[in-house]
């Protein structure tokens, strides 16, 4: 079966987390529960922020966008895996695979950008509080988020266009539970030099610069806190940035640790564990971190649930 995309197959075979059929019911139940918790948690954050005028600020504007991105990131992978487990299938169409890669690149990149923008927001709030409303105005916040989306749309599209040039043999298997770009590059029989160069360049630009921005922001925040004499001011500063710092540590720390571990073992199982952390665990925990550590979000969620309970 041939098509204009120069591939000899109509679908890929996703090997999934395990070939043992005894584990599949457990995986199905576990990931279904985690997916539902992720959906519910992030939807509650979005509803709480949008429905409470007290949370209409740059900090919670970025948080609302982050919850939306986390929800989309999980929805790009888990539903297909659950369908395959339930139907006892492992296939995904060629177009479906490229579509999954496209959206995964976008949402993963948006995670990086939003965490960086939230770090900058914390930096301005603590280091330049008198100019906060002037610097972090609504127009700038919307522009930064739209620019982030635009960059990721084009970066992801470039990856897909280069991916469509590659040839895949009949019965190509992907040792993963979703279509990951790096795994597809390993599975092709074509020359992937251009693809790999682009992958490294994008990773360097969209990975190193956001992390550098976050580290710089927090170095300035720590420096400001060291000069701050008021314990009340320090407590307020920790309240402002504590939740974000936890999410950043979870997103980058666990991901980096598991990736380093998988690099030492050179196993696809390690890559899958890292992917579970990125696509399921972190998006699931983020709403809990922001609702438990942030009094404003906790209060908004309480008011939202009270209004929902009082409705006839």
């Amino acid at each position: 079966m041939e098509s204009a995309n120069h591939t000899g197959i109509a679908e890929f075979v996703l090997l999934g987390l395990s070939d043992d059929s005894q584990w599949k019911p457990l995986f199905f139940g576990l990931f279904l529960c985690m997916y539902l918790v992720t959906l519910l948690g992030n939807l509650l954050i979005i509803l709480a922020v949008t429905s409470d005028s007290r949370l209409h600020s740059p900090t919670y504007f970025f948080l609302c966008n982050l919850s939306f991105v986390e929800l989309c990131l999980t929805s790009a992978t888990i539903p297909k895996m659950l369908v395959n487990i339930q139907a006892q299938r492992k296939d995904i169409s060629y177009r479906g695979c490229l579509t999954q890669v496209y959206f995964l690149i976008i949402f993963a990149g948006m995670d990086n950008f939003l965490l960086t923008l939230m770090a900058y927001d914390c930096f301005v709030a603590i280091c330049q509080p008198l100019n906060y409303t002037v610097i972090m105005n609504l127009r700038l916040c919307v522009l930064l988020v739209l620019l982030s989306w635009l960059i990721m749309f084009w970066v992801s599209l470039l990856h897909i266009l280069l991916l469509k040039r590659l040839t895949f043999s009949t019965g190509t298997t992907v040792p993963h539970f979703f279509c990951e770009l790096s795994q597809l590059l390993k599975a092709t029989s074509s020359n992937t030099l251009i693809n790999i160069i682009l992958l490294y360049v994008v990773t360097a630009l969209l990975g190193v610069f956001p992390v550098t921005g976050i580290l710089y922001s927090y170095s300035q925040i720590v420096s400001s806190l060291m000069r701050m004499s008021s314990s009340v001011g320090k407590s307020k500063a920790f309240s402002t940035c504590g939740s974000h710092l936890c999410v950043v540590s979870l997103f980058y720390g666990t991901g980096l640790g598991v990736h380093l571990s998988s690099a030492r073992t050179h196993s696809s199982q390690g890559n899958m564990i890292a992917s579970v952390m990125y696509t399921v665990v972190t998006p699931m925990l983020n709403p809990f971190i922001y609702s438990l550590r942030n009094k404003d979000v906790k209060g908004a969620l309480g008011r939202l649930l009270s209004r929902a309970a009082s409705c006839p």
Side-chain angles (χ1 to χ4, degrees), residues 16-36:
L17 293 171
S18 176
D19 291 328
D20 193 342
S21 59
Q22 294 181 348
W23 288 99
K24 290 184 178 180
L26 176 62
F27 284 139
F28 181 84
L30 178 62
F31 279 91
L32 177 60
C33 291
M34 294 173 73
Y35 179 61
L36 293 177

Side-chain angles (χ1 to χ4, degrees), residues 37-176:
V37 169
T38 302
L39 286 182
L40 179 61
N42 285 287
L43 282 175
L44 283 175
I45 292 292
I46 294 172
L47 289 173
V49 171
T50 55
S51 65
D52 197 320
S53 59
R54 279 167 284 197
L55 298 185
H56 291 175
S57 66
T59 300
Y60 299 109
F61 172 73
F62 292 136
L63 174 59
C64 189
N65 278 273
L66 180 66
S67 293
F68 174 73
V69 168
E70 299 282 30
L71 191 153
C72 293
L73 179 64
T74 306
S75 298
T77 56
I78 302 304
K80 177 59 180 176
M81 184 188 72
L82 294 175
V83 169
N84 279 4
I85 293 176
Q86 184 66 19
Q88 297 185 352
R89 299 174 60 182
K90 296 185 176 182
D91 62 291
I92 183 172
S93 66
Y94 178 79
R95 290 184 178 180
C97 188
L98 293 189
T99 302
Q100 198 173 63
V101 172
Y102 178 74
F103 285 111
L104 282 171
I105 294 173
I106 290 176
F107 298 137
M110 282 303 300
D111 256 340
N112 277 312
F113 278 127
L114 287 170
L115 289 174
T116 306
L117 293 176
M118 293 172 78
Y120 178 69
D121 177 70
C122 289
F123 160 71
V124 176
I126 294 175
C127 299
Q128 302 183 42
L130 298 179
N131 298 322
Y132 178 77
T133 55
V134 177
I135 298 174
M136 300 303 296
N137 59 79
L138 179 61
R139 182 178 179 181
L140 176 64
C141 294
V142 173
L143 181 63
L144 289 173
V145 171
L146 288 178
L147 182 62
S148 299
W149 280 108
L150 185 63
I151 291 173
M152 290 315 305
F153 281 142
W154 283 106
V155 168
S156 186
L157 180 61
L158 185 57
H159 274 298
I160 296 302
L161 291 176
L162 290 177
L163 197 59
K164 285 175 68 67
R165 297 171 54 254
L166 305 180
T167 302
F168 297 91
S169 60
T170 303
T172 297
T173 59
V174 180
H176 220 296

Side-chain angles (χ1 to χ4, degrees), residues 172-184:
T172 297
T173 59
V174 180
H176 220 296
F177 62 92
F178 64 85
C179 289
E180 188 183 52
L181 178 61
S182 60
Q183 295 295 332
L184 293 180

